[in-house]
């Protein structure tokens, strides 16, 4: 699943470790989500969206058009 997580993190000048701390996950989990190797759980997707004050759909793209 494509996502804007790396761009959003870079805009705030946060490291992967900083973002991981804010989300209560490992740095490796952040890396796996950013690179598309892992999709976040629904609760984690909600935490990410809340942290960036965006909707899940604004951050993640499942490739299907509405």
């Amino acid at each position: 699943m494509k996502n804007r997580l790396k761009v959003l993190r870079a805009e705030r000048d946060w490291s992967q470790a900083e973002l991981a701390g804010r989300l209560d996950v490992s740095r490796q989990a952040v890396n796996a989500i950013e690179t598309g190797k892992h999709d976040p759980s629904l609760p984690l997707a909600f935490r990410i969206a809340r942290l960036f004050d965006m909707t899940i759909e604004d951050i993640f793209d499942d490739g299907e058009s509405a």
Side-chain angles (χ1 to χ4, degrees), residues 25-42:
V25 298
S26 69
R27 185 201 58 78
Q28 291 85 350
V30 169
N31 180 266
I33 294 168
E34 284 186 354
T35 58
K37 293 178 182 166
H38 176 74
D39 293 335
S41 65
L42 191 54

Side-chain angles (χ1 to χ4, degrees), residues 4 8 45 48-50 52-60:
R4 300 181 51 216
L8 295 170
I48 292 168
R50 283 189 201 108
F52 290 107
D53 195 28
M54 300 175 81
T55 65
I56 291 173
E57 292 89 349
D58 287 337
I59 300 172
F60 298 96

